[in-house]
Amino acid sequence: MKSNSTFNIILFLVLTEFGYGQDVDRKEILGEIFEGSISIEGVNIINTTSQIAKVSDVNGVFSIPAKKGDVLVFSAVSLDSIKREITAEDLKVGKLFIKMVANKIELKEVVINTQITAENLGIVPHGQKTYTPAERKLKTAGDFKPVMLLGLLGGSMPVDPLINKISGRTKQLKELVALERKELNIEQLGNLFEDAYFIDYLKIPSEYVSGFKFYFVETQDITVLLTEKNKSKLTPLLAESALKYNEIISGETK
C-alpha cells in the first residue's frame, strides 16, 4: 500500500511539472479587435492548441496565453471568423491588432412591381376589359346596329346610337379609336425595340425610324403580338416590312 501511495505522489508531481512546463512556454499576449474603426465587444477567442478561450471586453480588448505556432480563432455573430497564427514578432511586440469583417449576407432577388393599375389597386376586377379614352367615348355614344330596330316593337330602342349614326359622330369616334390604337401600338413597339435596332439591324435611316414605325403598324395587324410582347413573332415581320420600306424611301430619294 505504501509503495502505491509513493507511486501516485510521484506521478502527480510529474504531471504537475509537465503541465506547468507547458504553461511556462506560453506568454500572456494582449489584443484589440476592430470592425472598421469600431472596437468589437463579445468576440470569442480560442487558442486551438491549448484550448484556452477568452472573450473581448467592451473596448474590444482581450488577453490570452500563447506561444509561437499557436493558432487563435476569432468568431462572433455577424462577423466573418478569422484565424491568426502567433509569430515570434507577435510575442516580441506583445500585442495583436485584429481586424474583423461583417458577414456579407446575400439577399434573394426581390421583384417589385412598380406598375400601379386599377387592377392592382382593386378598383376593377382582374381580367376586366379596360377602355382607352376614345373607346369610352364610343361606348357612351353607342354603336348603332340594325338589330336595334327590333326594339321599336317593344318601345325600348336606344335613340342615341341612331342619332350618332345619322350625324356621323359614330364614324368619327371609330376613326379616333383606330388612330388611338395605332399611336398606342407605335409606343409599345418603341418600348420593345430601341431605335438602335431599327438603325443598325433593319438598316432604316435614323431620320426615317418614326416613319417606319407608323408604316409598320399601319400595314400589319400586330395589336395582339404587341400586347403579348411577342418579339419572336414580331422580328420576322419587322424584317420583311423593313425591306419594303427601304425600297419605298430609296425610290423617293432618287
Side-chain angles (χ1 to χ4, degrees):
M1 291 294 293
K2 184 176 181 180
S3 59
N4 286 340
S5 299
T6 303
F7 175 77
N8 290 336
I9 293 171
I10 294 172
L11 179 62
F12 173 76
L13 291 173
V14 170
L15 293 175
T16 302
E17 182 64 22
F18 177 78
Y20 177 73
Q22 292 293 311
D23 288 337
V24 167
D25 289 340
R26 289 188 170 83
K27 176 184 176 181
E28 196 77 16
I29 189 168
L30 295 175
E32 289 186 57
I33 304 174
F34 300 90
E35 194 275 305
S37 60
I38 302 174
S39 300
I40 303 299
E41 178 186 7
V43 175
N44 298 304
I45 307 103
I46 183 168
N47 186 325
T48 60
T49 307
S50 67
Q51 296 300 308
I52 296 173
K54 296 294 181 73
V55 179
S56 62
D57 65 18
V58 68
N59 296 313
V61 175
F62 68 93
S63 68
I64 190 168
K67 67 177 181 178
K68 182 182 176 181
D70 283 358
V71 176
L72 306 184
V73 174
F74 301 83
S75 62
V77 176
S78 78
L79 295 173
D80 288 336
S81 297
I82 61 172
K83 293 182 179 181
R84 172 68 179 272
E85 183 176 348
I86 300 301
T87 65
E89 183 67 21
D90 292 331
L91 295 172
K92 182 179 179 180
V93 174
K95 191 166 186 179
L96 301 175
F97 293 94
I98 306 299
K99 293 283 188 179
M100 299 190 72
V101 180
N103 288 335
K104 294 180 180 179
I105 302 174
E106 293 187 6
L107 298 177
K108 293 183 178 180
E109 181 180 0
V110 178
V111 179
I112 301 175
N113 182 7
T114 58
Q115 183 179 9
I116 299 176
T117 65
E119 287 187 355
N120 291 341
L121 295 175
I123 298 174
V124 298
H126 284 275
Q128 178 174 306
K129 177 175 172 55
T130 57
Y131 295 91
T132 65
E135 288 173 335
R136 282 197 296 271
K137 289 180 181 179
L138 178 60
K139 185 173 178 62
T140 301
D143 187 9
F144 178 78
K145 306 291 182 184
V147 71
M148 291 180 178
L149 293 172
L150 296 176
L152 289 172
L153 301 176
S156 60
M157 189 192 86
V159 178
D160 286 347
L162 179 59
I163 295 175
N164 289 324
K165 175 74 172 179
I166 296 172
S167 67
R169 184 166 184 266
T170 301
K171 181 180 178 181
Q172 293 176 351
L173 290 174
K174 285 184 177 181
E175 291 173 351
L176 182 60
V177 168
L179 178 61
E180 189 178 59
R181 171 50 58 188
K182 289 176 184 176
E183 291 176 346
L184 181 59
N185 285 348
I186 291 173
E187 181 181 349
Q188 291 177 321
L189 186 65
N191 291 336
L192 288 176
F193 299 92
E194 296 182 355
D195 284 357
Y197 174 82
F198 298 99
I199 298 169
D200 300 333
Y201 183 76
L202 297 180
K203 306 304 179 185
I204 305 294
S206 58
E207 65 272 23
Y208 285 93
V209 170
S210 296
F212 173 71
K213 291 178 183 178
F214 184 82
Y215 169 81
F216 183 61
V217 301
E218 183 77 19
T219 57
Q220 299 284 349
D221 186 10
I222 54 168
T223 299
V224 175
L225 296 181
L226 287 172
T227 302
E228 296 175 350
K229 299 180 180 180
N230 194 331
K231 295 180 73 172
S232 62
K233 290 187 177 180
L234 285 168
T235 301
L237 293 176
L238 281 166
E240 181 182 352
S241 295
L243 290 174
K244 295 179 181 178
Y245 187 75
N246 281 330
E247 289 179 0
I248 296 173
I249 62 176
S250 64
E252 293 178 349
T253 55
K254 286 181 181 179

